[in-house]
Amino acid sequence: MRVALFVTCVNDTLFPRTGRAVVRLLERLGVEVDFPPAQTCCGQPQYNSGYRHQAEPLVRRHAAAFDGYDHVVTPSASCAAMVRDNHPRIGARAAAEGRGRALADAAAASLPRTYELTEFLVDVLGVTDVGAYYPHTVTYHPTCHGLRVLGLGDRPRRLLEHVGGLVLRELEGAEECCGFGGTFAVRNAAVSAAMGADKARRIRATGAGAVCMVDNSCLMHIGGTLARLGSPVRPVHIAEILASTEEDVR
Amino acid sequence: MSGTYLGMPSFPRAAAAATRDGTLRGNLRHATHTIRDKRARAVAELADWPRLRAAAAAIKERTLRHLDHYLVQTEAAVTAAGGTVHWAADAAEANRIVTRLVRATGETEVLKVKSMTTQEIGLNEALGRAGITACETDLAELIVQLGEDRPSHILVPAIHRNRAEIRDIFRARMADWGRPAPDGLGDNPTELAEAARLHLREKFLRAKVAISGANFMVAETGTLVVVESEGNGRMCLTLPETLISVVGIEKVVPTWRDLGVFLQLLPRSSTAERMNPYTSMWTGTAETAETAETAETAETAAEARAAAEARAAAEARPGARAGTRTGTETRAEAGARAGGADGPRAFHLVLLDNGRTDTLADTVGRQALRCIRCSACLNVCPVYERAGGHAYGSPYPGPIGAILTPQLRGTESELDASLPFASSLCGACYEVCPVAIDIPEVLVHLRERVAEGGIVTRGGKKAVIRPARGHAAERAAMRAARWTLDHPAALRTAQRIASRTRRLHPRRLPGPGRAWTGTRALPEVPPESFRDWWARTRGQGSPE
Ligand code: SF4
């Protein structure tokens, strides 16, 4: 099986560890991973800030970059949600504005093959035990787009429950937004910070040594808040936990 | 909308102030979390909730598509039942009509049934300018009115107040409006409710004119429906001689069968009740009800049949009646029971547009008109919980306010232009909405209107609007970012520069970035991007 890794622009630039962890994990599970270098960004920052037209070339580029692969895997729930939910929407709007069906067709072609990492593991590979070992107490925050747009459900939890040595701690109010929301964090900084502070407080109350998510952008916001509060709780992307093995620990 | 909100600061500034108010945050947090948990339990009782929700969305969509037809049908039915229908294009016209109608009765005091629509048009203020006092009868609205405050929640307008604050308001202000607060009034809920009851009872017995909105209008019979918990609305709807109802044109549903769907969705979504305690329905005037009793006209036969159908639909749901008092009856039935007709001798329906047909013209935004004002989206919204209702600068706060207000009012003011951005797009509002309004989709759509401008419908005509002020720098940044992202080689260069200068990056940013680093640490730029790692270890060439 040949899958294309859509690493996302944020991970590419700021969190390359997450991309490397996905590669390590998938290859350990016998998957051949490719990285189409023409990929950049799914256009989520543009689209969600109200610059739909600026997102259009990125939709086109994304579809072309991943053309021909059986599966596209991404370690970002919000980018997977963008491709699946909003790329077709952007294509349809372009068509409605009388600019032809090309964009809509391109968007439609790439969406059924795009999976968020935990979806790909559970639904396509059919595994919940990926042979990982991570001897830490961890709490899990389900990010909004994974929870509500993709409907990831308990997939991430099922994967975490099978990780050797890992102790999972319940997070109060887990389903509440952490307050990142892209440009919302800057534009409505006070509300965003209040939401982040509440999330950080509840994470600390779990007593876990690490908090894990399926999205590095939320992780960046929560991790940054925890760091500013001087908290020792480490933010970790789920891919890095699932990629860890006993050798890494030794 | 109401002039009361003119000159309010934009959402971020108002919200920032609210987040610093500990009492407000405590009051809001407690109230919204209690109701959201109860709602979840009430909804979970119905196995077919998703189907009901889809049915409600479909009914509203279909009705909105043929709104002209259903409104004309409503007008005919109301007129046949002895009512008078008035059409108001905007707030000013609606206020003029209502003022004229009240003046014609010679009264200077009117009772109000809790109504969002009359708040939207600033009716109380308009009547006040004409020398007419409008007294709110809903408990929470009364608190807001006595406190010279603004409502901050659709369902619980005084949600931002706690008991001690309410007691102080009653003590200080009740005497100015009628019966004063009892001596030594305490702050327990029973005492407060009793004080309000005594104060209001005098008004109910004296009032000749009442003004209401409506939750629904049934086109086939011209019946108006008000759903409430306290029963004060029903007092206003039955006691006075003249009843004036101001209703947004989107409130129409075609048939009683359709109404059955909404009467299941609304109480569970709003108050987490299986059925709300009072559902009042009225059709036309008492005179026609009287004739109906003796003459059995076609209209009332249809009405009785429809009422029976609605009841059957309500009863068909398991648990629909269990544990609740329901007060569903039509005026004809009530009249028959009492051995004579009750209700108003004169009934006026003011159908309000005020930006609704313009909203209808927008294919993405029009779904906001499906809203049944249940307030479920407010109660789950993490932004509303911290910012409070006043920051939205409109009687419609929270997620629905953020999409409805800028459509009804336009995005010209700084406040209205800031509302579509008052969300982290977490999607909790969409998930709970009983009529499946995709609020995040509309928010993003309206952000586009603010950031890029575009074509809108205003006053029935197409107009091209320019981007709102203050977005030029952002627009330039978005363009530059897009160019880089559309050229992977440029992206790679930018990443390499960032990596090479990583030791020089400041820990706190100036300018707009300060908002980020004020409360959060910045992530460190890694020494090597993923792209470069892949090329180095996998030996693949560059994308160029
Ligand atoms: S938008 Fe939906 S959830 Fe919000 S008040 Fe309206 S009907 Fe209720």
Side-chain angles (χ1 to χ4, degrees), chain B residues 87 227 319 384 424 447 476:
Chain B
W87 299 81
V227 168
Y384 174 86
S424 63
R447 287 177 185 188

mmCIF file of all heavy atoms in Angstrom, chain B residues 87 227 319 384 424 447 476:
data_model
loop_
_atom_site.group_PDB
_atom_site.id
_atom_site.type_symbol
_atom_site.label_atom_id
_atom_site.label_comp_id
_atom_site.label_asym_id
_atom_site.label_seq_id
_atom_site.Cartn_x
_atom_site.Cartn_y
_atom_site.Cartn_z
ATOM 1 N N TRP B 87 -48.075 45.112 7.474
ATOM 2 C CA TRP B 87 -46.749 44.714 6.981
ATOM 3 C C TRP B 87 -45.769 45.834 7.300
ATOM 4 O O TRP B 87 -46.003 46.985 6.971
ATOM 5 C CB TRP B 87 -46.785 44.480 5.469
ATOM 6 C CG TRP B 87 -47.724 43.382 5.057
ATOM 7 C CD1 TRP B 87 -49.065 43.465 4.901
ATOM 8 C CD2 TRP B 87 -47.379 42.017 4.772
ATOM 9 N NE1 TRP B 87 -49.598 42.242 4.528
ATOM 10 C CE2 TRP B 87 -48.565 41.348 4.435
ATOM 11 C CE3 TRP B 87 -46.172 41.307 4.765
ATOM 12 C CZ2 TRP B 87 -48.592 39.990 4.096
ATOM 13 C CZ3 TRP B 87 -46.197 39.960 4.412
ATOM 14 C CH2 TRP B 87 -47.401 39.315 4.088
ATOM 15 N N VAL B 227 -44.765 30.006 23.412
ATOM 16 C CA VAL B 227 -44.327 28.916 24.257
ATOM 17 C C VAL B 227 -43.577 29.524 25.439
ATOM 18 O O VAL B 227 -42.696 30.336 25.235
ATOM 19 C CB VAL B 227 -43.381 28.023 23.426
ATOM 20 C CG1 VAL B 227 -42.650 27.039 24.284
ATOM 21 C CG2 VAL B 227 -44.152 27.313 22.325
ATOM 22 N N GLY B 319 -43.258 9.913 26.684
ATOM 23 C CA GLY B 319 -42.757 10.861 27.681
ATOM 24 C C GLY B 319 -43.059 12.307 27.392
ATOM 25 O O GLY B 319 -42.630 13.189 28.106
ATOM 26 N N TYR B 384 -19.237 32.715 24.289
ATOM 27 C CA TYR B 384 -20.335 33.372 25.012
ATOM 28 C C TYR B 384 -20.128 33.256 26.517
ATOM 29 O O TYR B 384 -20.340 34.222 27.262
ATOM 30 C CB TYR B 384 -21.680 32.742 24.610
ATOM 31 C CG TYR B 384 -22.843 33.271 25.435
ATOM 32 C CD1 TYR B 384 -23.494 34.436 25.070
ATOM 33 C CD2 TYR B 384 -23.252 32.618 26.597
ATOM 34 C CE1 TYR B 384 -24.527 34.942 25.846
ATOM 35 C CE2 TYR B 384 -24.272 33.113 27.370
ATOM 36 C CZ TYR B 384 -24.916 34.277 27.004
ATOM 37 O OH TYR B 384 -25.921 34.768 27.766
ATOM 38 N N SER B 424 -14.293 30.682 17.794
ATOM 39 C CA SER B 424 -13.097 29.895 17.483
ATOM 40 C C SER B 424 -13.427 28.805 16.466
ATOM 41 O O SER B 424 -12.597 27.958 16.179
ATOM 42 C CB SER B 424 -12.543 29.266 18.762
ATOM 43 O OG SER B 424 -13.487 28.365 19.305
ATOM 44 N N ARG B 447 -17.277 36.416 7.388
ATOM 45 C CA ARG B 447 -15.913 36.932 7.491
ATOM 46 C C ARG B 447 -15.428 37.367 6.112
ATOM 47 O O ARG B 447 -14.750 38.392 5.977
ATOM 48 C CB ARG B 447 -14.974 35.847 8.045
ATOM 49 C CG ARG B 447 -15.185 35.589 9.518
ATOM 50 C CD ARG B 447 -14.310 34.464 10.034
ATOM 51 N NE ARG B 447 -14.658 34.193 11.421
ATOM 52 C CZ ARG B 447 -13.989 33.383 12.230
ATOM 53 N NH1 ARG B 447 -12.915 32.756 11.784
ATOM 54 N NH2 ARG B 447 -14.379 33.208 13.467
ATOM 55 N N ALA B 476 -2.989 41.971 3.022
ATOM 56 C CA ALA B 476 -1.663 41.931 2.393
ATOM 57 C C ALA B 476 -0.879 40.720 2.889
ATOM 58 O O ALA B 476 -0.254 39.995 2.106
ATOM 59 C CB ALA B 476 -0.908 43.224 2.700
#
